[in-house]
Amino acid sequence: MIHLKNEKQLEIMRIAGRITGEAIQAGREAIKPGVTTAEVDHVIHAYIVKCGAKPTFLGYGGFPASACISVNDEVIHGIPSHNRVLKEGDIVSIDVGAFYRGYTGDSAATFPVGKISPEAERIIRVTEESFYRALEVLEKGSARVGDIGHAVESYCVENGCSVVRRYVGHGVGAELHEDPEIPNFGTPGHGIRIIPGMTICVEPMVALGTGDVYEMPNGWTVRTKDGKLSSHYEHSIAITSNGPELLTKV
């Protein structure tokens, strides 16, 4: 069931979204060679709590941390660890949610650790730009889910990358994952129509290789099968009568 949000609910989601986006930026500032992913998670956790919110991911389905921090060929759901030390040339995807007064934000982005390779720069750029290609579709109005996915995948393929099809975007609100699912692939003109009142997460997960993935024995971390780099970019979006609004953009 799709839950449409009224203006009062959107006001709360704007606050949750702002906290989420700022928490990611706090994590970004903590990233540097020699820092562990657990230390980055601690910074994010502290920021969310300081804002009077709760980390949405902590305990969600048993997840043991406040942020998913995925490095290099890890696509999503990387578990922060004191043993995972970041080094020059790594790329780090941070995925965060902040729960505030009954509603959550959800956002992700991928960042460099120091100087990175041209290929690493490309996967980060293509992933982020594919999100904004999808946003352009939403700005035109009368979009369907298939239009969003087609915009993401076609841009990625044009730039020599692949989308990860096993995982998709989603609705967001009182729950972290609500209807509808928002795949990063699709057929134009097909799928549920996107209408005002909906709040959704568009989140390209993109790989330099085939996009085939597997889950690690820890039950969470997802990696590319070919070991090639992956990148993740996501915003919570409110669909309004005036067009899409990025709730987690700061």
Side-chain angles (χ1 to χ4, degrees):
M1 178 184 295
I2 295 173
H3 299 282
L4 300 182
K5 314 304 190 296
N6 59 35
E7 185 56 33
K8 184 177 180 180
Q9 293 168 319
L10 284 179
E11 281 301 319
I12 299 172
M13 289 193 69
R14 289 184 181 102
I15 299 172
R18 175 182 56 77
I19 296 169
T20 300
E22 289 173 351
I24 285 183
Q25 292 307 311
R28 176 183 190 176
E29 292 171 8
I31 290 173
K32 60 183 178 181
V35 169
T36 69
T37 55
E39 289 173 312
V40 177
D41 179 71
H42 176 77
V43 168
I44 291 168
H45 177 95
Y47 187 85
I48 292 172
V49 171
K50 182 184 76 171
C51 292
K54 295 180 180 179
T56 308
F57 295 178
L58 184 60
Y60 183 83
F63 190 74
S66 296
C68 297
I69 303 180
S70 308
V71 183
N72 296 334
D73 63 327
E74 296 172 351
V75 183
I76 51 174
H77 303 163
I79 299 176
S81 170
H82 291 289
N83 296 321
R84 189 64 181 270
V85 181
L86 299 177
K87 63 182 186 299
E88 184 93 9
D90 286 340
I91 62 173
V92 183
S93 298
I94 300 177
D95 191 358
V96 174
F99 190 79
Y100 180 80
R101 291 177 55 190
Y103 291 89
T104 189
D106 186 13
S107 185
T110 303
F111 305 110
V113 181
K115 183 175 176 58
I116 59 175
S117 68
E119 277 200 333
E121 290 178 349
R122 179 164 66 93
I123 190 67
I124 292 175
R125 175 184 57 78
V126 169
T127 304
E128 182 171 348
E129 181 59 28
S130 72
F131 170 89
Y132 286 99
R133 295 301 175 100
L135 188 65
E136 288 176 3
V137 169
L138 292 171
E139 288 171 343
K140 293 176 182 177
S142 300
R144 292 184 179 274
V145 166
D147 300 318
I148 297 171
H150 178 75
V152 170
E153 184 172 40
S154 60
Y155 181 79
C156 292
V157 171
E158 287 169 8
N159 285 273
C161 300
S162 304
V163 298
V164 174
R165 288 179 165 237
R166 183 171 167 183
Y167 300 91
V168 299
H170 50 89
V172 67
E175 302 291 336
L176 177 60
H177 295 108
E178 297 184 350
D179 291 332
E181 289 190 343
I182 312 290
N184 293 308
F185 55 91
T187 303
H190 287 243
I192 294 170
R193 189 176 297 280
I194 305 299
I195 62 172
M198 294 174 69
T199 46
I200 62 174
C201 289
V202 175
E203 53 174 318
M205 291 158 273
V206 183
L208 279 176
T210 64
D212 293 332
V213 298
Y214 70 100
E215 190 176 90
M216 296 286 288
N218 64 26
W220 285 102
T221 308
V222 175
R223 306 179 75 164
T224 58
K225 284 186 177 180
D226 56 16
K228 294 189 176 180
L229 294 177
S230 178
S231 179
H232 186 193
Y233 192 84
E234 172 187 20
H235 280 298
S236 299
I237 306 170
I239 308 302
T240 76
S241 57
N242 296 318
E245 176 185 350
L246 300 186
L247 300 174
T248 46
K249 182 79 170 179
V250 295

